[in-house]
Each structure stands twice: as structure tokens, then as C-alpha cells.
Amino acid sequence: MRDERAWAVLLLALAALVPVVAPMLGSPATVALATRIAIYAIAASSLNLLLGGAGLVSFGHAAYYGLGGYVVGILYAHYVSGEPFLGVIPGTNDLLVTLPLAILVGGLGALVIGALSLRTAGVQFIMITLAFAQMLFFLFVSLKAYGGDDGLAIRRVAPVLGMNLRDPATLYWICLGLLAAWLFLMDRVSRSRFGRVLSGIRQGERRMAAIGVRTYPYKLAAFVIAGMGAAMAGALMVNQARFVSPDMMHWTKSGELMVMVILGGLGTLVGPALGAAVLVAMEYTLSGLTEHWQFIEGPILVLVVLFARGGLMGAIRLISGMRGRGAGALPAGELPPRHVQPEDRAVPDLPMRPGAAPRG
């Protein structure tokens, strides 16, 4: 269990049993809750590619999450009305059509926003990504043809390859399968040359530029991949909730995704998914106890951040004695510190040239 990929396989295998175990325990609603967790895990993992992989603090990641959701909602609205979108694109409620289109639109949106935002850095980058996300938020609030601030309801969902998406277990397994595919992609990216360059950018972009690496294309590529993942999560969430609204693009949603990543563990494979599971489950449990559940949730998150170095994954590694990315270790792509060899501790004095000043 020293490899984080083994943890991912184990957790996914256990998660696949939820639709089987939940009815036995008399809690069928757990399947819908687990579906939301799987969807949020995809969105948080996509943000982790920027935040934990390249060190890019994007506070507008919810923009692509909402774009993916609105692709599903707008195509459904035109499917019901029978009028093509922009007079060219016919409406549909088929997930096999809307999901790839949502990923494509999310990637294009990330390409445009990233091409402009990545010309800045630091606080300016954070603020410009937030500004773009809020621009899209107010744009969709003003689109009264698609529900405006009230959003759009999706009443009919077409079967996918004969599978009924209205069945909670079927939709859950589809979302879990896409989560597994996304985690596999993130693992391959982090271990590739591309991932090593992103890690180098996080550690020191000036150093990467000094050795001849053009960092801008790498950051833009990561920005687009992350936007596509968030858009896929948004499209799945709309199919699960059968509702889309501009709130999916609000800055608070970006902050929620960021909390999931930090809570689970920056730069880890399983951490964002674990953070999504803990945060969603905590909100579900506390909201059933009191309407002021955020007053309880806030201190808990602060304690985790203060005392669990590396997030929940860091705490798990610390307890289990695992070595690798997480608490007390370096993320993938970073070299461990060189151990001092015995011969390095006592370097013999070399003979001095006549007239040379003594060392030290």
C-alpha cells in the first residue's frame, strides 16, 4: 500500500459496492449522495492539476463547471422547443452527445480565459480568473431565455446504451467509471514529462525559464485540461440534479472546490476525491442537525488544515507510515534532498598555495 495508485484502486472498488450495500442498510438515498461525491471528486481533481500540479491558484474554476452544466441545459431546452441552437445545432438530451460537447465547450472556454489570465501571475492571476468567472455568472443571470437567475429544469433524460439514467445506481456507476478514467489520466499526466515540467513550474518558474523551457504553453495546456475536467463534472451534475443555474458559476463554488483540494491534500492523486467525500458528507450530516451547520463546519476545516500537514492524505500517510507524496514528502516530480554521506561530513583540508589566505 505504499503506492497511492493502490489506494485509488481500493477506494474505487469499495465505492462500486455502494448501490449494493446501501439498500441493505435501509439507506437508498446514500446512492445519490455518493453520486454527488464522485462528480465533485472529478471537479476537485481537475482543479488539483492547476493548484497542486502547477501552483496556479485559479479562483474561477467554477466557470468551466457551470459551462458544462449549461451545455446540457441549453441543448435540452432546444430539444423541447424543437428549435436549433443558433439556428444550426439541434437540441438533444442524449448524454453521449451532450457530455462530449460540454467537455469541448469547457476546454474552449478555458483556452480563451487561460490565454489571457496566464499572462499575469500572483494576486493578479487570482483576481483575473475570479473576474472572468463572475462575468460568465452575470451573463447567464441575464439570459432570461434560459431561465436567468431561476435556472433551467431538465425533466427527461435519454437512456445511454440502453441504460436508464433515472436509475440512481446506473447513473452512479457511470459517474464512478468516469472518475476512475479521470484519475487514471491524472496519474499518467503527473508521471509524464509534461507533469514533471508542471512540477518544475510550481517549484520555480524562473528557474525553468532559465534552462530554456517555455512555461506559458505548458501552463495553458494544463489550464485547458483542467477546464475540460470541470466541464465534464458540471454536465454530470446537471444530469444528476436535473437542474442547472448560474449558481454553478459563482465564486463560492470555486472556493468550495479549492477547499476540497486543500482538505484532501495538494498534489496527490486520491486527496481531492477524499476531500470531496469528506466535505460533502460533512455538509449533508451537519445540515440535518442544524441550519447553522456552517458555524460547525468552519472550525473543523481550520483544525484539519492546521494539524494535518498535507491534508487528509498527509494524515493518513503519517499514521500508516507510508512514504511518497504527502506529509513530510515531496509531490511527484520533485527530487528528495540529497543525504549527507559520511565522506561529506569531514572534508580533509587541502594544501594551500603559498601566500593563500586560510579557509573559513
Side-chain angles (χ1 to χ4, degrees), residues 60-247:
H61 204 63
Y64 323 114
Y65 179 76
L67 279 176
Y70 263 99
V71 168
V72 177
I74 290 174
L75 289 179
Y76 173 78
H78 287 275
Y79 169 77
V80 173
S81 65
E83 300 177 359
F85 176 63
L86 300 177
V88 178
I89 303 175
T92 179
N93 66 340
D94 191 347
L95 184 65
L96 294 178
V97 177
T98 57
L99 186 61
L101 282 177
I103 295 174
L104 177 61
V105 171
L108 291 175
L111 178 63
V112 174
I113 295 176
L116 299 173
S117 303
L118 290 171
R119 299 185 182 277
T120 62
V123 177
Q124 291 81 6
F125 175 77
I126 298 174
M127 296 309 297
I128 197 171
T129 54
L130 173 62
F132 276 120
Q134 289 301 101
M135 286 170 58
L136 287 175
F137 168 78
F138 287 111
L139 171 64
F140 281 94
V141 166
S142 65
L143 294 179
K144 302 303 180 182
Y146 300 115
D149 198 21
D150 296 328
L152 281 171
I154 300 174
R155 304 186 183 279
R156 290 177 291 178
V157 182
V160 175
L161 301 177
M163 298 182 293
N164 182 16
L165 294 185
R166 287 184 174 270
D167 178 29
T170 301
L171 182 60
Y172 171 71
W173 277 318
I174 291 175
C175 294
L176 188 65
L178 291 173
L179 172 61
W182 180 259
L183 291 179
F184 175 77
L185 175 63
M186 292 298 98
D187 179 66
R188 299 307 301 168
V189 166
S190 66
R191 297 173 185 273
S192 66
R193 181 181 182 274
F194 176 75
R196 303 282 180 172
V197 172
L198 292 181
S199 180
I201 293 173
R202 183 186 70 250
Q203 297 176 58
E205 186 172 355
R206 291 185 178 181
R207 295 179 182 178
M208 297 299 293
I211 64 176
V213 177
R214 297 180 60 229
T215 60
Y216 180 82
Y218 286 93
K219 293 191 295 182
L220 183 58
F223 209 87
V224 172
I225 295 173
M228 295 171 73
M232 177 172 66
L236 292 174
M237 183 60 75
V238 171
N239 278 277
Q240 195 262 347
R242 283 179 275 180
F243 179 77
V244 59
S245 73
D247 288 340

Side-chain angles (χ1 to χ4, degrees), residues 322-337:
M322 290 177 59
R323 294 181 180 180
R325 291 174 294 172
L330 297 173
E334 298 186 27
L335 296 177

Side-chain angles (χ1 to χ4, degrees), residues 267-285:
T268 61
L269 178 64
V270 183
L274 185 60
V278 171
L279 189 63
V280 173
M282 189 187 305
E283 291 181 357
Y284 177 80
T285 303

